[in-house]
Amino acid sequence: MAARDWNPLRRVLALPNESRTKTVMVAFLVSALCAALVSGATVVLRPIQTANRAAEEQARIAALVDDIPGMADLLQESGGTLSTVVVNLENGRAAQDVTPANLEATLADPGNWTTLGAGQDIAGLGRRPDYAQIYLLRDGDSVSLVLLPLSGQGYGGRIDAILALREDMNTIAGVAITGHSETPGLGGRIEERAWQAAFPGTELRDDSGETRFRVAQGPASGMHEVDGITGATRTGRAVTQMVRFWLGPEGYGPLLDAIARGEF
């Protein structure tokens, strides 16, 4: 009599192919092997994925900088590198559980948006996200430059922009209009770099802290104004209201106050 094979794997494989036990066991073994391979690949690839996300983020920041007239030269002079952080707009602090990687998923939840009242909604948004991704340049422990995404309702549709502020959080370092639907040749001229180049040096608030920034209806007449665009009064007003909203208490106001106090 042949000796009994005590190896369980060989005993299973020796069963007829139509055996239910063999089918179930082989399927289980294949599944376990695949799970082990997937888990191993996840561990091996995680550092690569992290590095790729970091590279993508730096490329995004570089693209933003390129869109803002004079910003690349400003960063080169400072010798610094922009970093990114997600802020909670309610308290002006860095978000605890929301990162650039999961921000989009977070904002897909309607519960992470705030409905704006008629007196608050000067930018015509209807509602405001509770979290926003911003870009910072630090000089030691202090913030020397901040880039803030803005949005508002223009004459032809939504306007998107990036506003850069210097370390006093009151002086504009630059602006870039990143998206709009304004009338070509009129309000659409807000995308021209020549118009955007007039923003650096403009101050948002006066000595009393009152917000004075505006796009003038004609040539700028003071340190708080930028030149208007002929025939585009509504677009200029929309840009004014967009900046005022986002720099106010319902937008980045709490964040700017925290930065000015050296608490961010």
Side-chain angles (χ1 to χ4, degrees):
M1 177 182 296
R4 184 174 183 178
D5 189 346
W6 293 99
N7 186 306
L9 180 59
R10 282 201 296 266
R11 290 174 61 186
V12 170
L13 294 177
L15 293 172
N17 289 335
E18 60 272 15
S19 168
R20 179 175 299 177
T21 299
K22 182 176 182 179
T23 301
V24 171
M25 291 299 296
V26 169
F28 172 77
L29 291 172
V30 171
S31 298
L33 178 61
C34 290
L37 290 174
V38 170
S39 298
T42 299
V43 172
V44 172
L45 293 176
R46 185 174 292 120
I48 299 174
Q49 293 169 338
T50 301
N52 287 342
R53 283 195 295 268
E56 291 172 359
E57 186 60 34
Q58 288 302 314
R60 188 177 299 111
I61 293 174
L64 288 173
V65 168
D66 288 342
D67 282 340
I68 302 176
M71 190 56 53
D73 292 338
L74 182 62
L75 288 178
Q76 186 174 8
E77 291 171 7
S78 69
T81 301
L82 286 170
S83 60
T84 183
V85 64
V86 175
V87 295
N88 183 327
L89 294 177
E90 291 292 335
N91 57 26
R93 305 293 182 179
Q96 296 298 311
D97 302 315
V98 184
T99 67
N102 65 18
L103 177 61
E104 183 176 355
T106 299
L107 295 183
D109 180 357
N112 291 320
W113 291 71
T114 295
T115 300
L116 300 169
Q120 301 169 314
D121 192 19
I122 61 175
L125 295 170
R127 59 179 190 156
R128 181 221 67 195
D130 293 338
Y131 302 95
Q133 182 176 357
I134 66 168
Y135 306 88
L136 301 169
L137 177 66
R138 291 190 179 274
D139 183 7
D141 294 332
S142 63
V143 175
S144 59
L145 187 73
V146 60
L147 273 64
L148 306 171
L150 313 179
S151 59
Q153 183 66 27
Y155 174 67
R158 176 177 166 131
I159 297 174
D160 294 308
I162 298 289
L163 181 71
L165 298 180
R166 291 186 176 271
E167 58 186 353
D168 62 359
M169 297 299 118
N170 188 51
T171 304
I172 297 177
V175 71
I177 303 298
T178 57
H180 72 89
S181 301
E182 302 302 278
T183 306
L186 295 173
R189 291 180 57 199
I190 60 174
E191 69 183 9
E192 295 178 0
R193 294 179 71 88
W195 184 73
Q196 296 172 26
F199 277 73
T202 304
E203 296 185 4
L204 300 169
R205 297 174 291 273
D206 61 20
D207 293 338
S208 69
E210 181 182 356
T211 300
R212 298 281 305 280
F213 169 84
R214 77 183 187 104
V215 177
Q217 294 187 15
S221 60
M223 65 179 63
H224 303 106
E225 294 185 353
V226 295
D227 291 343
I229 297 174
T230 303
T233 301
R234 291 187 184 181
T235 299
R237 185 181 303 119
V239 173
T240 297
Q241 297 297 77
M242 176 176 70
V243 172
R244 290 190 174 195
F245 170 81
W246 282 104
L247 277 297
E250 304 302 327
Y252 297 112
L255 167 69
L256 301 181
D257 290 343
I259 293 175
R261 293 191 302 266
E263 298 174 358
F264 191 89

Short mmCIF file of all heavy atoms in Angstrom, two decimals, residues 186-219:
data_model
loop_
_atom_site.label_atom_id
_atom_site.label_comp_id
_atom_site.label_asym_id
_atom_site.label_seq_id
_atom_site.Cartn_x
_atom_site.Cartn_y
_atom_site.Cartn_z
N LEU A 186 -13.69 93.95 -23.74
CA LEU A 186 -14.18 94.86 -22.70
C LEU A 186 -13.77 94.29 -21.34
O LEU A 186 -12.63 94.37 -20.95
CB LEU A 186 -15.70 95.04 -22.82
CG LEU A 186 -16.18 95.73 -24.12
CD1 LEU A 186 -17.68 95.70 -24.22
CD2 LEU A 186 -15.66 97.16 -24.16
N GLY A 187 -14.72 93.69 -20.62
CA GLY A 187 -14.37 93.08 -19.34
C GLY A 187 -13.35 91.97 -19.47
O GLY A 187 -12.59 91.70 -18.53
N GLY A 188 -13.30 91.34 -20.65
CA GLY A 188 -12.33 90.28 -20.87
C GLY A 188 -10.89 90.74 -20.78
O GLY A 188 -9.97 89.91 -20.66
N ARG A 189 -10.68 92.04 -20.78
CA ARG A 189 -9.31 92.57 -20.69
C ARG A 189 -8.70 92.37 -19.29
O ARG A 189 -7.52 92.61 -19.10
CB ARG A 189 -9.30 94.05 -21.06
CG ARG A 189 -9.60 94.31 -22.55
CD ARG A 189 -9.58 95.79 -22.85
NE ARG A 189 -8.31 96.38 -22.48
CZ ARG A 189 -8.12 97.69 -22.28
NH1 ARG A 189 -9.15 98.53 -22.40
NH2 ARG A 189 -6.94 98.15 -21.95
N ILE A 190 -9.50 91.92 -18.34
CA ILE A 190 -8.93 91.64 -17.01
C ILE A 190 -7.89 90.52 -17.08
O ILE A 190 -7.08 90.36 -16.16
CB ILE A 190 -10.02 91.26 -15.98
CG1 ILE A 190 -10.79 90.01 -16.43
CG2 ILE A 190 -10.94 92.45 -15.73
CD1 ILE A 190 -11.78 89.51 -15.40
N GLU A 191 -7.89 89.74 -18.14
CA GLU A 191 -6.90 88.68 -18.28
C GLU A 191 -5.57 89.21 -18.83
O GLU A 191 -4.57 88.48 -18.84
CB GLU A 191 -7.41 87.57 -19.20
CG GLU A 191 -7.53 87.98 -20.66
CD GLU A 191 -8.10 86.88 -21.53
OE1 GLU A 191 -8.56 85.87 -20.98
OE2 GLU A 191 -8.07 87.04 -22.78
N GLU A 192 -5.54 90.47 -19.28
CA GLU A 192 -4.31 91.02 -19.85
C GLU A 192 -3.29 91.29 -18.75
O GLU A 192 -3.59 91.88 -17.71
CB GLU A 192 -4.62 92.32 -20.60
CG GLU A 192 -5.51 92.12 -21.81
CD GLU A 192 -5.83 93.44 -22.52
OE1 GLU A 192 -5.35 94.50 -22.04
OE2 GLU A 192 -6.56 93.40 -23.52
N ARG A 193 -2.08 90.86 -18.99
CA ARG A 193 -1.02 91.03 -17.99
C ARG A 193 -0.73 92.51 -17.74
O ARG A 193 -0.32 92.89 -16.63
CB ARG A 193 0.24 90.29 -18.43
CG ARG A 193 0.06 88.77 -18.46
CD ARG A 193 1.32 88.07 -18.94
NE ARG A 193 2.40 88.12 -17.95
CZ ARG A 193 2.56 87.22 -16.98
NH1 ARG A 193 1.70 86.23 -16.83
NH2 ARG A 193 3.59 87.31 -16.15
N ALA A 194 -0.94 93.35 -18.74
CA ALA A 194 -0.69 94.78 -18.56
C ALA A 194 -1.63 95.36 -17.50
O ALA A 194 -1.22 96.21 -16.70
CB ALA A 194 -0.88 95.51 -19.90
N TRP A 195 -2.88 94.92 -17.49
CA TRP A 195 -3.82 95.40 -16.47
C TRP A 195 -3.48 94.82 -15.10
O TRP A 195 -3.45 95.51 -14.09
CB TRP A 195 -5.25 95.04 -16.85
CG TRP A 195 -6.26 95.59 -15.88
CD1 TRP A 195 -6.65 96.90 -15.74
CD2 TRP A 195 -6.99 94.85 -14.90
NE1 TRP A 195 -7.59 97.02 -14.74
CE2 TRP A 195 -7.82 95.78 -14.21
CE3 TRP A 195 -7.05 93.51 -14.56
CZ2 TRP A 195 -8.68 95.39 -13.18
CZ3 TRP A 195 -7.90 93.12 -13.53
CH2 TRP A 195 -8.70 94.07 -12.85
N GLN A 196 -3.17 93.54 -15.06
CA GLN A 196 -2.82 92.88 -13.80
C GLN A 196 -1.54 93.46 -13.20
O GLN A 196 -1.37 93.49 -11.97
CB GLN A 196 -2.68 91.38 -14.02
CG GLN A 196 -3.96 90.71 -14.46
CD GLN A 196 -3.75 89.25 -14.86
OE1 GLN A 196 -2.82 88.59 -14.40
NE2 GLN A 196 -4.60 88.74 -15.74
N ALA A 197 -0.63 93.94 -14.05
CA ALA A 197 0.64 94.48 -13.58
C ALA A 197 0.48 95.77 -12.80
O ALA A 197 1.43 96.23 -12.14
CB ALA A 197 1.58 94.70 -14.76
N ALA A 198 -0.73 96.38 -12.84
CA ALA A 198 -0.96 97.60 -12.09
C ALA A 198 -1.27 97.35 -10.62
O ALA A 198 -1.31 98.29 -9.81
CB ALA A 198 -2.10 98.40 -12.73
N PHE A 199 -1.52 96.10 -10.24
CA PHE A 199 -1.93 95.78 -8.87
C PHE A 199 -0.82 95.87 -7.83
O PHE A 199 -1.06 96.30 -6.69
CB PHE A 199 -2.56 94.39 -8.82
CG PHE A 199 -4.01 94.36 -9.21
CD1 PHE A 199 -4.40 94.51 -10.54
CD2 PHE A 199 -5.00 94.18 -8.26
CE1 PHE A 199 -5.73 94.48 -10.91
CE2 PHE A 199 -6.34 94.15 -8.61
CZ PHE A 199 -6.71 94.31 -9.94
N PRO A 200 0.42 95.41 -8.13
CA PRO A 200 1.45 95.43 -7.08
C PRO A 200 1.64 96.81 -6.46
O PRO A 200 1.73 97.82 -7.17
CB PRO A 200 2.71 94.98 -7.84
CG PRO A 200 2.18 94.12 -8.94
CD PRO A 200 0.91 94.78 -9.37
N GLY A 201 1.70 96.84 -5.13
CA GLY A 201 1.86 98.09 -4.41
C GLY A 201 0.55 98.70 -3.95
O GLY A 201 0.55 99.59 -3.08
N THR A 202 -0.57 98.25 -4.51
CA THR A 202 -1.87 98.77 -4.09
C THR A 202 -2.18 98.28 -2.67
O THR A 202 -1.95 97.12 -2.34
CB THR A 202 -2.98 98.28 -5.05
OG1 THR A 202 -2.65 98.68 -6.38
CG2 THR A 202 -4.32 98.87 -4.66
N GLU A 203 -2.69 99.18 -1.84
CA GLU A 203 -3.02 98.82 -0.46
C GLU A 203 -4.51 98.56 -0.31
O GLU A 203 -5.34 99.25 -0.91
CB GLU A 203 -2.57 99.92 0.49
CG GLU A 203 -1.06 100.11 0.50
CD GLU A 203 -0.60 101.13 1.54
OE1 GLU A 203 -1.46 101.63 2.30
OE2 GLU A 203 0.61 101.42 1.57
N LEU A 204 -4.84 97.57 0.49
CA LEU A 204 -6.23 97.16 0.65
C LEU A 204 -6.99 98.02 1.64
O LEU A 204 -8.15 98.37 1.42
CB LEU A 204 -6.29 95.69 1.11
CG LEU A 204 -5.66 94.67 0.16
CD1 LEU A 204 -5.54 93.33 0.86
CD2 LEU A 204 -6.49 94.54 -1.10
N ARG A 205 -6.36 98.37 2.76
CA ARG A 205 -7.03 99.10 3.84
C ARG A 205 -6.30 100.38 4.17
O ARG A 205 -5.09 100.50 3.95
CB ARG A 205 -7.11 98.20 5.10
CG ARG A 205 -7.94 96.94 4.89
CD ARG A 205 -7.86 96.03 6.10
NE ARG A 205 -6.52 95.45 6.23
CZ ARG A 205 -6.13 94.33 5.63
NH1 ARG A 205 -6.97 93.67 4.86
NH2 ARG A 205 -4.91 93.88 5.80
N ASP A 206 -7.04 101.31 4.74
CA ASP A 206 -6.40 102.56 5.18
C ASP A 206 -5.89 102.40 6.61
O ASP A 206 -5.97 101.32 7.20
CB ASP A 206 -7.37 103.74 5.04
CG ASP A 206 -8.63 103.58 5.90
OD1 ASP A 206 -8.60 102.79 6.87
OD2 ASP A 206 -9.64 104.25 5.60
N ASP A 207 -5.39 103.48 7.19
CA ASP A 207 -4.78 103.40 8.52
C ASP A 207 -5.78 103.02 9.61
O ASP A 207 -5.40 102.49 10.65
CB ASP A 207 -4.13 104.74 8.87
CG ASP A 207 -2.92 105.05 8.00
OD1 ASP A 207 -2.36 104.09 7.44
OD2 ASP A 207 -2.55 106.24 7.88
N SER A 208 -7.06 103.25 9.37
CA SER A 208 -8.08 102.91 10.36
C SER A 208 -8.51 101.45 10.25
O SER A 208 -9.26 100.96 11.08
CB SER A 208 -9.30 103.82 10.19
OG SER A 208 -9.99 103.51 8.97
N GLY A 209 -8.02 100.76 9.23
CA GLY A 209 -8.39 99.36 9.03
C GLY A 209 -9.57 99.16 8.10
O GLY A 209 -9.97 98.03 7.83
N GLU A 210 -10.14 100.24 7.60
CA GLU A 210 -11.28 100.13 6.68
C GLU A 210 -10.79 99.70 5.29
O GLU A 210 -9.82 100.25 4.78
CB GLU A 210 -12.00 101.46 6.58
CG GLU A 210 -13.22 101.42 5.65
CD GLU A 210 -13.91 102.77 5.53
OE1 GLU A 210 -13.48 103.72 6.23
OE2 GLU A 210 -14.85 102.88 4.73
N THR A 211 -11.50 98.75 4.71
CA THR A 211 -11.14 98.28 3.37
C THR A 211 -11.49 99.35 2.34
O THR A 211 -12.65 99.78 2.25
CB THR A 211 -11.87 96.97 3.02
OG1 THR A 211 -11.51 95.97 3.97
CG2 THR A 211 -11.49 96.50 1.62
N ARG A 212 -10.50 99.78 1.59
CA ARG A 212 -10.68 100.86 0.62
C ARG A 212 -10.41 100.41 -0.81
O ARG A 212 -10.65 101.19 -1.75
CB ARG A 212 -9.73 102.01 0.98
CG ARG A 212 -9.98 102.63 2.35
CD ARG A 212 -11.16 103.59 2.33
NE ARG A 212 -10.97 104.61 1.31
CZ ARG A 212 -10.20 105.69 1.49
NH1 ARG A 212 -9.54 105.88 2.64
NH2 ARG A 212 -10.09 106.59 0.53
N PHE A 213 -9.93 99.20 -0.99
CA PHE A 213 -9.56 98.75 -2.34
C PHE A 213 -10.75 98.84 -3.29
O PHE A 213 -11.87 98.48 -2.95
CB PHE A 213 -9.05 97.32 -2.32
CG PHE A 213 -8.90 96.74 -3.71
CD1 PHE A 213 -7.75 96.97 -4.44
CD2 PHE A 213 -9.94 96.00 -4.28
CE1 PHE A 213 -7.62 96.47 -5.73
CE2 PHE A 213 -9.80 95.49 -5.57
CZ PHE A 213 -8.64 95.73 -6.30
N ARG A 214 -10.46 99.29 -4.51
CA ARG A 214 -11.47 99.22 -5.56
C ARG A 214 -10.83 99.39 -6.93
O ARG A 214 -9.73 99.96 -7.06
CB ARG A 214 -12.55 100.27 -5.35
CG ARG A 214 -12.17 101.69 -5.74
CD ARG A 214 -13.29 102.65 -5.43
NE ARG A 214 -13.02 104.01 -5.93
CZ ARG A 214 -13.58 104.52 -7.02
NH1 ARG A 214 -14.43 103.79 -7.73
NH2 ARG A 214 -13.30 105.75 -7.41
N VAL A 215 -11.52 98.87 -7.92
CA VAL A 215 -11.15 99.13 -9.31
C VAL A 215 -11.87 100.42 -9.70
O VAL A 215 -13.10 100.50 -9.65
CB VAL A 215 -11.58 97.97 -10.23
CG1 VAL A 215 -11.25 98.31 -11.69
CG2 VAL A 215 -10.88 96.68 -9.82
N ALA A 216 -11.11 101.44 -10.05
CA ALA A 216 -11.69 102.75 -10.36
C ALA A 216 -12.50 102.68 -11.66
O ALA A 216 -12.34 101.77 -12.48
CB ALA A 216 -10.60 103.80 -10.48
N GLN A 217 -13.37 103.66 -11.86
CA GLN A 217 -14.12 103.75 -13.12
C GLN A 217 -13.28 104.39 -14.22
O GLN A 217 -13.65 104.34 -15.39
CB GLN A 217 -15.41 104.54 -12.90
CG GLN A 217 -16.39 103.82 -11.97
CD GLN A 217 -17.73 104.53 -11.91
OE1 GLN A 217 -18.05 105.39 -12.74
NE2 GLN A 217 -18.53 104.16 -10.92
N GLY A 218 -12.17 104.97 -13.83
CA GLY A 218 -11.24 105.56 -14.78
C GLY A 218 -9.84 105.33 -14.27
O GLY A 218 -9.56 104.29 -13.67
N PRO A 219 -8.94 106.28 -14.43
CA PRO A 219 -7.59 106.14 -13.89
C PRO A 219 -7.62 106.10 -12.35
O PRO A 219 -8.44 106.76 -11.72
CB PRO A 219 -6.87 107.40 -14.40
CG PRO A 219 -7.66 107.82 -15.60
CD PRO A 219 -9.08 107.48 -15.29
#
